[in-house]
């Protein structure tokens, strides 16, 4: 066990820990932290509850997105074990030189392997421990949508925070960002400039790896209509979140795919932005109630 800020503890698994496991013939590289209910001092029991997979956003990490914001405590207190993953070049995960390591398809394959390593088995009627609930924020919401859409036999429910039908990284001005980081002129595109600014606020962020992630994502554009999740989902965004303005498109896709909107819910958080919606107590409460419903 290892201690972290906020008193929350979790078992840390590095790339070396999982080196014997393979996804398409290549060793896993993502760092994983597992938080059981005892990690936060909760007295709840998670023995009969399926785990929750957490996927953070761009330039964030398990620590920033989920631990410091109180999500781990909230989920553990609700009796849920958490499997939290750091994306390539983020948090405790290494920053590979191979561009393919950053592609969404590669990340989804690694997520599948991680769940297999943690003995997550397909959904079975009457077995509340089967399958997994998935919660993703921002870039993690895109990955959650795609993972849920391609792994319906595993995913029970999915929660997406700050989601959009168009990945904001798809329009990221990679050349301008590279130029500015090399001492060149300021970035003209406001969205790109804001994403770079946010990334640079975290001293430990590896800007080379973050730009590698952007470059890789551009090779696999987000096409939500190609794999629409069929399970119940909750979409959450801040009222002032400009990056999530296309959330209604995802709602329409999901409702149309499922034949009705009965299993597709929306929550708009008053006065919240993309940057601070994840800290909302209302968001946590709604997500916990949804996945435990």
């Amino acid at each position: 066990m290892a201690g972290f800020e906020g008193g929350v503890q979790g078992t840390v698994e590095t790339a070396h820990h999982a080196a014997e496991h393979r996804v398409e013939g290549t060793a896993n590289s993502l760092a994983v932290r597992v938080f059981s209910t005892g990690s936060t001092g909760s007295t709840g029991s998670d023995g009969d509850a399926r785990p929750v997979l957490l996927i953070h956003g761009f330039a964030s990490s398990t620590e920033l997105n989920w631990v410091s914001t109180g999500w781990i405590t909230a989920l553990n207190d609700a009796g849920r074990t958490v499997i939290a993953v750091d994306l390539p070049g983020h948090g405790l995960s290494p920053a590979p030189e191979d561009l393919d390591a950053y592609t969404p398809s590669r990340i989804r394959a690694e997520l599948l392997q991680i769940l297999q390593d943690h003995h997550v088995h397909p959904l079975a009627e009457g077995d509340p421990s089967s399958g997994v609930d998935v919660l993703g924020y921002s870039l993690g919401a895109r990955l959650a949508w795609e993972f849920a859409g391609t792994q319906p036999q595993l995913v029970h429910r999915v929660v997406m925070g700050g989601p959009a039908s168009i990945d904001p990284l798809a329009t990221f001005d990679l050349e301008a960002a590279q130029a500015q980081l090399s001492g060149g002129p300021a970035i003209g595109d406001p969205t790109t400039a804001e994403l770079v600014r946010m990334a640079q606020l975290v001293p430990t962020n590896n800007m080379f790896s973050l730009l590698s992630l952007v470059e890789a994502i551009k090779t696999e554009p987000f096409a939500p209509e190609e794999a629409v999740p069929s399970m119940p989902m909750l979409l959450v965004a801040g009222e002032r979140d400009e990056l999530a303005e296309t959330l209604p498109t995802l709602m329409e896709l999901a409702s149309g795919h499922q034949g009705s909107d009965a299993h597709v819910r929306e929550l708009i958080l008053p006065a919240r932005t993309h940057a601070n919606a994840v800290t909302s107590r209302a968001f946590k409460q709604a997500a916990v109630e949804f996945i435990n419903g």
Side-chain angles (χ1 to χ4, degrees), residues 124-177:
E125 187 174 355
D127 181 1
S129 69
S130 65
V132 65
D133 290 313
V134 180
L135 198 165
Y137 194 78
S138 193
L139 172 59
R142 171 204 166 147
L143 294 169
W145 176 282
E146 292 175 324
F147 188 81
T150 55
Q151 303 296 331
Q153 78 283 1
L154 281 178
V155 181
H156 173 250
R157 293 194 171 199
V158 59
V159 178
M160 288 164 277
S165 63
I166 302 175
D167 196 323
L169 294 180
T171 59
F172 187 98
D173 191 337
L174 189 60
E175 292 185 1

Side-chain angles (χ1 to χ4, degrees), residues 12-220:
V12 181
E13 302 172 13
T14 65
H16 297 292
H17 175 87
E20 68 276 13
H21 301 295
R22 297 287 186 267
V23 177
E24 298 179 358
T26 305
N28 280 348
S29 62
L30 301 186
V32 182
R33 289 168 65 179
V34 178
F35 304 84
S36 64
T37 55
S39 299
T40 58
S42 168
T43 57
S45 172
D46 57 6
D48 295 327
R50 62 182 55 86
V52 180
L53 174 66
L54 299 185
I55 313 171
H56 66 75
F58 176 72
S60 189
S61 65
T62 291
E63 184 67 32
L64 293 174
N65 219 148
W66 309 119
V67 176
S68 64
T69 56
W71 276 95
I72 302 299
T73 299
L75 290 165
N76 281 171
D77 285 349
R80 307 299 292 273
T81 284
V82 172
I83 301 172
V85 179
D86 280 334
L87 298 178
H90 293 68
L92 300 176
S93 287
E97 294 185 3
D98 181 9
L99 191 65
D100 288 342
Y102 297 88
T103 60
S105 58
R106 167 68 187 186
I107 293 171
R108 295 195 307 272
E110 294 214 39
L111 293 176
L112 179 59
Q113 182 68 64
I114 287 165
L115 294 183
Q116 292 175 349
D117 291 345
H118 289 83
H119 312 294
V120 174
H121 53 281
L123 293 165
E125 187 174 355
D127 181 1
S129 69
S130 65
V132 65
D133 290 313
V134 180
L135 198 165
Y137 194 78
S138 193
L139 172 59
R142 171 204 166 147
L143 294 169
W145 176 282
E146 292 175 324
F147 188 81
T150 55
Q151 303 296 331
Q153 78 283 1
L154 281 178
V155 181
H156 173 250
R157 293 194 171 199
V158 59
V159 178
M160 288 164 277
S165 63
I166 302 175
D167 196 323
L169 294 180
T171 59
F172 187 98
D173 191 337
L174 189 60
E175 292 185 1
Q178 292 169 331
Q180 177 180 292
L181 293 173
S182 299
I187 300 170
D189 175 58
T191 300
T192 301
E194 177 62 12
L195 289 171
V196 170
R197 184 192 70 81
M198 290 172 56
Q200 291 180 309
L201 290 176
V202 183
T204 57
N205 272 345
N206 183 318
M207 294 305 297
F208 168 79
S209 67
L210 295 187
L211 294 185
S212 294
L213 176 64
V214 173
E215 185 176 358
I217 284 176
K218 286 178 175 291
T219 69
E220 295 183 2

Side-chain angles (χ1 to χ4, degrees), residues 236-241 267-273 276-277 280 282-283:
V236 183
E239 181 184 28
R240 300 177 182 175
D241 185 351
L267 174 63
I268 302 300
L269 304 168
R272 293 281 180 161
T273 66
N276 65 20
S280 166
F283 184 3

